[in-house]
Amino acid sequence: MSARAPWPSLALARGRPIARVDATTLTLTAMTLAWAALMASLSIARHRAFSTGRFDLGNMVQAVWSTVQGRPLETTDAISGEQFVRLGAHVDPILVLFAPLYWVWPSPEMLLVAQAVVVALGAVPVFWLGRRWLGDDRLALASAAVYLLYPPLAWATVTEFHPVTLAAPILLLAIWAADARRYGILAIAATAAALTKEEVGLALVMLGLWMAVRGARRAGALLAAASAAWVAAALWVIIPAFNHGEDSAFIGRYSAFGDSAGEVALGAALRPWDVIEVAATPDRGGYLLALLLPLLALPFAAPLLALGALPEVLLNVLSNWWPQYSIEFQYVAVVVPFLIAASIAGLARLRRSARPAVLVRALERPGPLALGLVVWVALSGVLLGPLPWWGAVSLASDSRVQEYARSPHTVAQREAIALVPAGVPVSAGNRMGAHLSDRRTIYTFPFLGDAEWVVVDRRQPFIVDRPAPRAHERRVRALLAEPASSVIYDRDGVLVIRREPPA
């Protein structure tokens, strides 16, 4: 069947144009809007409960706010306290596109809502792929539902705001365009995806190779070569140019293989036994199962397309930073589109070549098959996903369930940030910092610099982005002992401290 969009089409009736909307269009639209509304509301609830942080929502807010002020992507470094352009940490310049929206709606909540809407729109290219490859609108709708209900995608959407999360729907559009040979759309989608984070180009290299194997040799080779060149430029030109000539600070997560991007790549390639030693752990194995079981391991039936996820999976399982090999963070965003697309392609392949007869009969009945797929991934969402009212049966962290609830403590936090004047230099704890980042200078406690105001929370004792109760309490007491410090607010462990500038 054609890959036409399932949106209203115009027809003539009695000389007047009318919109004809079929049940498929209504169902897809309703699913997309409902999911966007749910994820946006959960993200906002989490932010208002002070469960977002300076890492990472606050970083993104400051980068976008600075862009609006005429200083593109400027942020305050959490460790040194210096002002720098965000490209020295991550090459995600797609953030500048949010500046006009922030000018209209100057709030962190704008970023959260925009992320939910953009990710939800990924259901459309998933539907197109399902229609092309499965030949049945019921199965195409089921594919879109699987995408929306897939637990890793939900986690990535509600956990802060990250430009790379936007790569999930954009890459799905790129996969559809590659398959349909709509090269103009592919060029736009690939460019947008590459601008969400420096390593996304590696996935595009794999997509180009997939295209070449399937006959689009010239276009596939061009995509692969351009994407590889962009990754190289991002790692060895752009990041050092904005980071005092140094590699990305995140290279330290791969210290088992080397001290620079080149050393890490070469070390992993030449020492496969070390790769196996690092990757073959129960928690990393659980991460892979959490990615594959909700999809019934269908990506294995379309391995060439599933390989698009391989670079990001390797980056995640070889990292020494545990959130990378958890489905609860943004690090799954580049993995999701290839596993979803490979699941659709894998199901199509199984339907064409299924054996034995009982399996043939099951796969040839689109209605029950579609229902079964949706029910299965919905159940996996109950067990593995982020929805807070399922916390009693969730296998996910119980602490995450509480992140949506406001309490008397959040009232104290809200009162505290309301006392801080706009524009003044501030030092704030991680959870408070997400609400105070729309300013030129915001330090992350315990770095104080020239901060005139300090906001800390003894009940959420973060040193930068890591809980450290004892070290945090020592730093708070040292701050309170300073003659220039005066406590303006003290309630339920939340302190607002005014620091007098030097004479």
Side-chain angles (χ1 to χ4, degrees), residues 348-479:
R349 176 170 295 176
L350 290 176
R351 294 186 77 218
R352 291 193 302 267
S353 59
R355 299 291 186 273
V358 63
L359 184 58
V360 173
R361 288 194 295 271
L363 293 175
E364 286 182 347
R365 301 173 62 191
L369 178 59
L371 179 61
L373 291 171
V374 173
V375 169
W376 174 259
V377 76
L379 288 175
S380 74
V382 171
L383 295 175
L384 299 173
L387 299 187
W389 50 85
W390 288 336
V393 295
S394 177
L395 296 180
S397 170
D398 289 340
S399 65
R400 300 295 295 272
V401 174
Q402 303 304 318
E403 290 187 353
Y404 305 93
R406 280 185 274 182
S407 66
H409 187 68
T410 60
V411 173
Q413 292 171 306
R414 188 165 57 252
E415 291 174 349
I417 63 170
L419 294 172
V420 180
V424 301
V426 173
S427 177
N430 185 43
R431 295 292 175 86
M432 311 296 286
H435 297 258
L436 292 166
S437 291
D438 53 345
R439 63 192 66 237
R440 178 73 183 272
T441 304
I442 174 166
Y443 304 114
T444 304
F445 189 82
F447 192 93
L448 298 175
D450 61 349
E452 299 174 12
W453 293 73
V454 182
V455 186
V456 293
D457 186 348
R458 283 170 151 164
R459 288 183 55 182
Q460 295 180 338
F462 284 84
I463 295 292
V464 189
D465 63 339
R466 314 290 169 91
R470 292 182 180 178
H472 184 271
E473 184 60 24
R474 286 196 303 268
R475 298 298 186 98
V476 171
R477 290 181 180 181
L479 174 62

Side-chain angles (χ1 to χ4, degrees), residues 295-315:
L295 301 176
L296 295 170
L298 285 170
F300 286 121
L304 287 178
L305 184 52
L307 282 175
L310 182 61
E312 193 76 5
V313 169
L314 286 175
L315 286 172

Side-chain angles (χ1 to χ4, degrees), residues 210-234:
W210 177 74
M211 292 171 61
V213 169
R214 299 175 75 245
R217 292 183 178 87
R218 183 174 300 177
L222 179 60
L223 176 61
S227 300
W230 169 250
V231 173

